[in-house]
Amino acid sequence: MAIGLFILAVIIQLAMVLAIFLLSLSRVTGSIVALITVLVTAFISPWSLILGLPIALLCLILLIAPMRQSMITKPVYKALGGAMPSMSDTEREALDAGTSWWEKELFMGAPDWDTFAKYPYPELSEEEQSFIDNEVEVLCAMLNEWQIQHKDKELSAEAWRFIKANGFLGLIIPKEYGGLEFSSYAQSRVMSKIASRSPTAAVTCMVPNSLGPGELLMHYGTDEQKQRWLPGLAKGDEVPCFGLTGPEAGSDAGAIPDTGVVCYGMHEGEQVLGLRMNFSKRWITLAPIATVVGLAFKMHDPEGLLGDPKKTDYGITCALVPASHQGVIIGPRHNPIGSPFMNGTVDGQDVFIPLDYIIGGVENAGRGWRMLMECLGVGRGISLPALSTSASEMSYLSVGAFAKVREQFKISVGKFEGVQDATSRMASNTYMLEAFRHLVTCGLNQGGTPSVMTAMAKYYATETMRSVVNDGMDVVGGRAVQMGPRNFLAIPYQAIPVSITVEGANILTRSLMIFGQGAMRCHPYLFDELQLLQSEDKEAALKEFDNLFFKHLGYTFNRGAKAFVAGYVGGSNDAPSFADSFTRPYYKDINRLSAGFALTADISLGLLAGDLKRKEMLSGRLADIHSHLFIATAILQFYEYGSKSVAERLHAEVALKNSFYTIQEAFLSLFANFPNQFAAKLVRFVTFPSGRIFAPVSDELKRQLGDVFMDDFAANPFRDYLKTMVYYNTEPEDVTGRMEHAYQILLEVEPLWQRFKKAEHKDSFEGLTFEDHVVYASQHGDITEEEAEQLIAYNSIRYDSLLTDTFDAHLAKVQERANPHSLENAVYRLTDYAELKSNAQLKNDAQLKNDAQLNQALNPDDLQQTSEHVAATDLAPDHDQPTGDANPDHGYESDGDVKMVDEQDTAKEIKAQTDFQNSHPEVEALASRHRDAASHLNERMSYNHRLDKDSIASPDSEQATHAPQTDTSDPTWQDGLRRDENDNV
């Protein structure tokens, strides 16, 4: 009984602790509740004080401020202050830059689904839709990326004029300055469609609308600067570039060595206060043709000329300088991995500029890094994800078409499971990217500069695009390897490293930025605590730190309790109001994983502190968890606003399973490599008590999605949707239209094509070529004349879509590819194989008949001698006989299978052959023909027949001697046979 009461009391105490954490009670309220519970359980069982006394003692310490601060707060403050590395002003500005959005809800472990449900789904306005349907469509039609990349090495003058005249460089500029003022979603859609046609043109239009002077001027420029530059930028009269990176500063842009020193100098004939600039910039897009240059540099005022003698180093500053300014050198072009968008150098030595060239004026001196971090979000969140989404969607369309059209081993290559392993990834990843784009632009449409979300978008969009294009290259194989104007995959494949590298290299973005900035921007207490740890007024900071630290502890224990409960009973059932039976379980999983992530992130930050900055592999795994939680919610939102068809659900299911499995493996890898294994095992026990809970995508789901990947229209509405996202065409001479044209024609004739190919594979038709088989099937009534034309027309289109380009010896000039299967050339593909075989069979039949008649006239002795003679003759080599299929005695079929003569000697075959001469197939066939090229097929076959008849009608000729066909209906031939028989008798 006593033991039972003791166990009950302990259970009550533990349940009390769990309830305090789950309800997130304050320090005071929680301590009072704990003390009361300890007293109550002491009456139930005094032995419960074994656990109750430590709880009570801790509560008293928490309630008594002097005791709490001396025993807990001060030691923690001192330990953390020593462990945290000092932050430079630049780092502090970078961490504090930008705002947070939905990613903060997921980081904190308790996403508010009501808020999520109210996010306005991004849509285009009528003006934006019209621009995409008209101006963007026209621009895409005039672009030829092969011509741009391999011949012109730049955009055509016509394309440049159109881009400038129609506002493509001013999408983000307000209408009051002559810009289009499009939403973030509209910018993404515009860039995506251009990129589907020409990455070069897309990059050209991207830069002025992302990290460039226009963005900086709109947010930070003075009114005078805006009036001076924005109208020209909007109209294309001014072409901007921005110089940030250089030989000594790439990913570590904060280490730029470029300087601007405050001094007096001459400007426009007057002595003014300004900056003596020295800079060397590299890899600057649009620099070779820029008319205005944005520059980032470190500003110094050693003489205190700005009025503050104590402040000599201002930090990174941004200025706007005309490209024609004295001393500015626009250098030669770079060649970024073969992509000929304008990219080059900007240099200057002892270039003097007035202070009013600083963006925002002197007031913004030293604020450049914060400005850049906030404005980088546009390029990271819009431009690069748009380009990545576009490349993936074009790969989906083109590779899906290829996988269905291309046949190997008698079936479409897309039907092979090994291929479906790749195509199912392509399908689900493309679906994920489109969903990701919608949620990110939804956040950007609402204003703010969510730097963590846009860093996620940049990294995971470009890396996913790399996976999609690589898979596409594997599926298409040789068709994608051979360069030329027919190749629809090689150019996006070549350009992948550009997207991976620019605007924050991907390795850096994942391993440092996403979680590093995420912890600062998304954690409710961490950034403020870090500021207090580095405060110079330690006494005042300690008092404020005491309050923040215990709020932080309460937050951590609350997330730990939620993760513990979720680990055993599943996540919270909270979900958006629109959740249905398919999506609701996934929202529950997100609730569970989000709580586990909040706990894991806090433990990592608390135990590793500043070391986490150097533990980049661990930081990268935390970034994977956080980002894929965001991606999973994007998929669920996109599915909610989609068709909800069976095919789309399949895309969403595979994409969600991929994300959840990635999250799980990132958790477990983090625990396995965490320096403090005791803490790691404890957190793993809380978050994954039963081990792995998510399995990778099953083979069956991959097979199903691999099949859907090759479908269109109602069978796959998502593919139909993608056509509206890119420049879609079915022009047979276009680089992407050629494959799509073949695919669409196949969909029209697929039942006929499959029926014909099935019969062809069963050797139902005579002949060596496809055209032979079509004519044979037509003449024998297996298909109609109209169907024959459809088959030949599709085969011509199919063959052309699979051709790769050829060049001259110097790879300078593309050669024209002839199509032997075209309707005009099909007649030349006909052979006389069927006639040779038929004639050989008739000759064999005649010989058998002759032998039988001879045998009837011979006596037994003569028969024995004759048999021996025949046997000897058969065994002896006959050097005069033709070889191969031309030898009628071989009896080979077209596929090489051997049939004995008696197996071929059937009444049906003899009748078919002997009746063939008396029929008139050319008359019957031509009666319903209307197309000349189609008529040539039968005419050619009839011509072959007549040649054989002529050879038989000329017994003195050489053809008669070796004629493969013998006309047994000729009475002259029968009389000769009787004379031979009489002579033998």
Side-chain angles (χ1 to χ4, degrees):
M1 182 66 178
I3 295 176
L5 291 174
F6 169 71
I7 294 174
L8 175 62
V10 170
I11 290 174
I12 292 173
Q13 290 175 351
L14 293 175
M16 172 270 300
V17 173
L18 183 62
I20 289 174
F21 292 154
L22 281 175
L23 296 174
S24 194
L25 299 180
S26 67
R27 183 184 74 247
V28 175
T29 304
S31 298
I32 293 173
V33 170
L35 287 171
I36 293 172
T37 304
V38 168
L39 291 174
V40 171
T41 53
F43 283 105
I44 296 175
S45 173
W47 288 102
S48 67
L49 291 174
I50 295 173
L51 178 62
L53 283 177
I55 293 175
L57 182 60
L58 178 61
C59 290
L60 290 174
I61 293 173
L62 293 177
L63 289 172
I64 302 172
M67 187 182 298
R68 179 181 71 251
Q69 292 178 6
S70 62
M71 296 181 68
I72 299 177
T73 306
K74 287 182 180 179
V76 170
Y77 184 86
K78 184 176 181 180
L80 290 177
M84 288 291 182
S86 60
M87 280 195 303
S88 65
D89 291 340
T90 298
E91 286 180 306
R92 185 176 289 106
E93 284 187 0
L95 291 174
D96 192 35
T99 57
S100 57
W101 190 59
W102 176 245
E103 70 279 10
K104 182 172 184 177
E105 295 282 337
L106 296 167
F107 189 100
M108 292 173 60
D112 185 346
W113 295 113
D114 289 336
T115 298
F116 180 77
K118 294 176 183 176
Y119 286 148
Y121 191 69
E123 294 179 342
L124 297 173
S125 67
E126 290 185 10
E127 180 187 3
E128 292 166 344
Q129 185 68 64
S130 174
F131 187 81
I132 290 173
D133 292 341
N134 295 285
E135 283 86 347
V136 178
E137 187 79 9
V138 172
L139 174 62
C140 289
M142 67 174 64
L143 297 170
N144 181 327
E145 191 66 3
W146 174 262
Q147 179 78 19
I148 293 168
Q149 288 217 8
H150 295 274
K151 294 185 179 180
D152 299 341
K153 304 298 182 182
E154 61 179 333
L155 293 178
S156 67
E158 178 192 20
W160 264 115
R161 284 193 297 270
F162 191 85
I163 287 171
K164 292 178 178 180
N166 289 276
F168 283 87
L169 304 183
L171 299 180
I172 63 173
I173 295 176
K175 291 184 178 181
E176 62 182 292
Y177 298 105
L180 295 177
E181 199 173 353
F182 279 0
S183 67
S184 297
Y185 178 60
Q187 294 172 49
S188 176
R189 288 284 303 276
V190 169
M191 296 306 165
S192 190
K193 188 166 184 175
I194 298 173
S196 71
R197 191 61 174 169
S198 168
T200 303
V203 172
T204 300
C205 295
M206 278 164 45
V207 171
N209 290 291
S210 56
L211 178 58
E215 178 81 3
L216 292 168
L217 284 171
M218 285 164 49
H219 288 88
Y220 308 105
T222 64
D223 289 339
E224 183 180 354
Q225 289 171 337
K226 291 177 182 179
Q227 294 292 343
R228 164 66 181 86
W229 293 109
L230 288 180
L233 292 170
K235 295 177 182 177
D237 296 336
E238 303 285 357
V239 177
C241 72
F242 193 89
L244 176 59
T245 54
E248 302 293 338
S251 296
D252 184 14
I256 53 177
D258 311 290
T259 59
V261 178
V262 179
C263 64
Y264 283 97
M266 298 299 295
H267 177 67
E268 296 181 350
E270 296 183 9
Q271 188 177 44
V272 297
L273 191 61
L275 297 166
R276 183 71 59 190
M277 304 280 293
N278 287 279
F279 50 89
S280 180
K281 302 295 186 180
R282 296 295 181 268
W283 319 307
I284 310 305
T285 301
L286 295 188
I289 57 169
T291 62
V292 56
V293 180
L295 290 173
F297 57 94
K298 288 183 176 176
M299 181 171 162
H300 305 277
D301 184 14
E303 300 179 75
L305 297 177
L306 294 181
D308 188 350
K310 294 182 179 180
K311 189 173 183 178
T312 59
D313 296 325
Y314 279 77
I316 294 177
T317 303
C318 294
L320 203 56
V321 183
S324 59
H325 191 80
Q326 184 177 2
V328 175
I329 302 172
I330 300 295
R333 292 176 63 181
H334 292 305
N335 186 3
I337 209 162
S339 297
F341 58 87
M342 289 294 173
N343 189 265
T345 64
V346 180
D347 292 280
Q349 187 171 358
D350 291 332
V351 177
F352 181 80
I353 64 171
L355 286 177
D356 58 10
Y357 278 15
I358 296 175
I359 297 177
V362 179
E363 292 77 8
N364 274 346
R367 297 188 62 211
W369 190 238
R370 182 187 184 96
M371 292 158 60
L372 291 172
M373 289 299 99
E374 292 181 344
C375 289
L376 269 173
V378 179
R380 289 174 175 168
I382 298 177
S383 300
L384 289 171
L387 190 149
S388 301
T389 303
S390 170
S392 299
E393 291 175 346
M394 288 304 298
S395 297
Y396 186 114
L397 293 169
S398 297
V399 176
F402 174 89
K404 190 173 185 69
V405 170
R406 181 72 163 117
E407 295 181 2
Q408 292 283 268
F409 305 102
K410 303 179 181 180
I411 60 172
S412 295
V413 297
K415 283 290 187 179
F416 290 97
E417 283 196 7
V419 172
Q420 288 179 334
D421 190 29
T423 56
S424 63
R425 265 196 314 272
M426 294 181 69
S428 60
N429 281 337
T430 303
Y431 189 86
M432 181 275 276
L433 284 172
E434 188 60 45
F436 201 11
R437 181 241 293 273
H438 274 77
L439 188 57
V440 170
T441 53
C442 174
L444 292 171
N445 279 349
Q446 292 189 296
T449 53
S451 54
V452 178
M453 179 188 74
T454 53
M456 290 177 179
K458 193 274 174 181
Y459 175 81
Y460 291 94
T462 55
E463 287 294 339
T464 303
M465 177 265 291
R466 169 153 54 179
S467 172
V468 171
V469 176
N470 279 342
D471 280 332
M473 290 291 290
D474 288 348
V475 173
V476 180
R479 175 69 172 83
V481 169
Q482 299 299 334
M483 290 294 291
R486 289 172 171 267
N487 196 317
F488 53 81
L489 264 182
I491 288 176
Y493 178 80
Q494 279 185 311
I496 287 172
V498 176
S499 298
I500 299 297
T501 304
V502 300
E503 298 197 22
N506 276 10
I507 291 177
L508 168 75
T509 301
R510 174 179 177 265
S511 60
L512 285 177
M513 292 185 60
I514 294 175
F515 184 74
Q517 278 194 315
M520 295 298 141
R521 299 307 311 157
C522 300
H523 197 287
Y525 309 110
L526 187 61
F527 184 75
D528 291 336
E529 289 173 325
L530 195 58
Q531 297 285 82
L532 292 172
L533 288 172
Q534 298 194 355
S535 172
E536 295 182 1
D537 188 352
K538 299 297 182 183
E539 186 175 347
L542 181 64
K543 184 177 181 182
E544 193 172 348
F545 180 81
D546 178 60
N547 183 44
L548 276 178
F549 177 69
F550 284 100
K551 285 184 177 180
H552 188 161
L553 281 181
Y555 164 84
T556 302
F557 285 123
N558 172 260
R559 271 38 178 186
K562 287 186 174 182
F564 179 78
V565 172
Y568 286 92
V569 301
S572 164
N573 288 319
D574 290 344
S577 55
F578 52 67
D580 57 22
S581 59
F582 169 67
T583 59
R584 191 170 296 279
Y586 293 114
Y587 286 111
K588 189 172 184 178
D589 289 332
I590 291 173
N591 290 332
R592 173 181 181 171
L593 293 170
S594 179
F597 173 64
L599 173 64
T600 305
D602 247 18
I603 296 299
S604 300
L605 290 165
L607 295 179
L608 298 180
D611 284 342
L612 188 57
K613 184 178 181 179
R614 292 174 285 276
K615 297 289 185 182
E616 295 178 16
M617 296 184 189
L618 297 181
S619 178
R621 294 184 181 106
L622 290 165
D624 288 340
I625 297 169
H626 191 190
S627 300
H628 274 278
L629 284 170
F630 188 93
I631 288 169
T633 60
I635 295 168
L636 290 168
Q637 185 204 53
F638 187 66
Y639 173 80
E640 175 61 30
Y641 287 92
S643 67
K644 294 190 177 181
S645 62
V646 174
E648 184 166 352
R649 178 174 295 191
L650 188 59
H651 283 80
E653 183 176 4
V654 174
L656 286 165
K657 287 182 179 294
N658 282 332
S659 283
F660 285 127
Y661 187 74
T662 300
I663 292 169
Q664 171 185 265
E665 296 307 299
F667 265 119
L668 298 180
S669 295
L670 177 77
F671 298 147
N673 293 279
F674 201 77
N676 188 327
Q677 275 298 293
F678 174 78
K681 289 177 180 178
L682 178 62
V683 177
R684 175 170 179 165
F685 171 75
V686 171
T687 53
F688 290 90
S690 58
R692 285 178 166 83
I693 56 177
F694 301 108
V697 178
S698 69
D699 291 352
E700 178 58 28
L701 277 178
K702 290 180 181 179
R703 283 192 292 268
Q704 292 177 21
L705 187 53
D707 286 339
V708 169
F709 182 71
M710 296 184 290
D711 290 334
D712 202 358
F713 306 116
N716 185 5
F718 181 63
R719 188 181 198 277
D720 236 16
Y721 168 84
L722 293 183
K723 299 173 191 175
T724 66
M725 297 290 109
V726 299
Y727 180 73
Y728 176 81
N729 77 95
T730 57
E731 295 298 323
E733 297 301 319
D734 185 79
V735 59
T736 56
R738 178 179 287 107
M739 197 76 245
E740 186 68 12
H741 176 62
Y743 171 75
Q744 293 297 335
I745 296 298
L746 174 56
L747 294 182
E748 294 176 9
V749 303
E750 187 172 15
L752 170 64
W753 178 257
Q754 294 299 335
R755 176 163 56 90
F756 181 81
K757 295 300 286 185
K758 184 176 181 181
E760 189 178 46
H761 296 151
K762 290 182 178 179
D763 299 321
S764 301
F765 313 128
E766 298 288 0
L768 295 178
T769 66
F770 175 84
E771 288 77 9
D772 283 347
H773 296 165
V774 171
V775 170
Y776 185 94
S778 175
Q779 291 177 338
H780 287 74
D782 297 316
I783 58 175
T784 66
E785 294 298 326
E786 182 181 357
E787 289 174 331
E789 292 179 16
Q790 288 179 329
L791 288 171
I792 291 172
Y794 168 67
N795 189 55
S796 169
I797 295 168
R798 177 197 65 82
Y799 185 82
D800 181 72
S801 74
L802 301 176
L803 286 176
T804 54
D805 292 288
T806 57
F807 295 79
D808 61 10
H810 301 287
L811 299 179
K813 185 177 181 181
V814 180
Q815 297 177 336
E816 187 175 347
R817 295 304 309 268
N819 184 354
H821 294 285
S822 67
L823 201 58
E824 293 74 17
N825 293 333
V827 64
Y828 302 110
R829 298 283 299 171
L830 292 171
T831 71
D832 60 354
Y833 177 84
E835 295 306 307
L836 288 173
K837 185 173 180 180
S838 175
N839 293 341
Q841 290 175 346
L842 290 175
K843 180 179 178 181
N844 290 336
D845 294 344
Q847 184 65 44
L848 288 173
K849 184 176 181 180
N850 187 22
D851 290 345
Q853 290 174 341
L854 289 173
N855 289 339
Q856 291 175 2
L858 292 174
N859 58 41
D861 293 336
D862 291 336
L863 182 61
Q864 176 65 27
Q865 294 174 4
T866 303
S867 299
E868 292 174 357
H869 173 74
V870 170
T873 302
D874 288 344
L875 291 172
D878 185 358
H879 298 290
D880 295 329
Q881 286 291 332
T883 60
D885 286 353
N887 185 344
D889 293 328
H890 282 181
Y892 287 144
E893 290 194 328
S894 60
D895 61 356
D897 293 337
V898 177
K899 277 190 177 182
M900 301 302 292
V901 172
D902 58 347
E903 293 180 290
Q904 302 177 48
D905 186 15
T906 64
K908 181 178 180 181
E909 291 188 5
I910 294 173
K911 183 177 185 303
Q913 296 299 331
T914 55
D915 290 344
F916 183 79
Q917 185 177 350
N918 295 326
S919 65
H920 300 282
E922 64 275 15
V923 177
E924 297 170 8
L926 290 173
S928 60
R929 295 277 185 131
H930 298 286
R931 296 174 62 180
D932 292 339
S935 300
H936 288 169
L937 294 174
N938 255 10
E939 291 174 3
R940 180 62 181 267
M941 183 61 84
S942 300
Y943 176 70
N944 291 337
H945 294 173
R946 287 195 294 273
L947 283 178
D948 293 329
K949 296 173 189 174
D950 294 342
S951 66
I952 296 169
S954 305
D956 295 333
S957 67
E958 184 179 350
Q959 286 94 339
T961 305
H962 300 287
Q965 181 179 13
T966 304
D967 188 352
T968 57
S969 64
D970 187 347
T972 305
W973 182 86
Q974 293 177 354
D975 291 342
L977 177 59
R978 295 190 188 99
R979 285 195 297 272
D980 290 341
E981 291 172 353
N982 293 332
D983 291 342
N984 288 332
V985 174

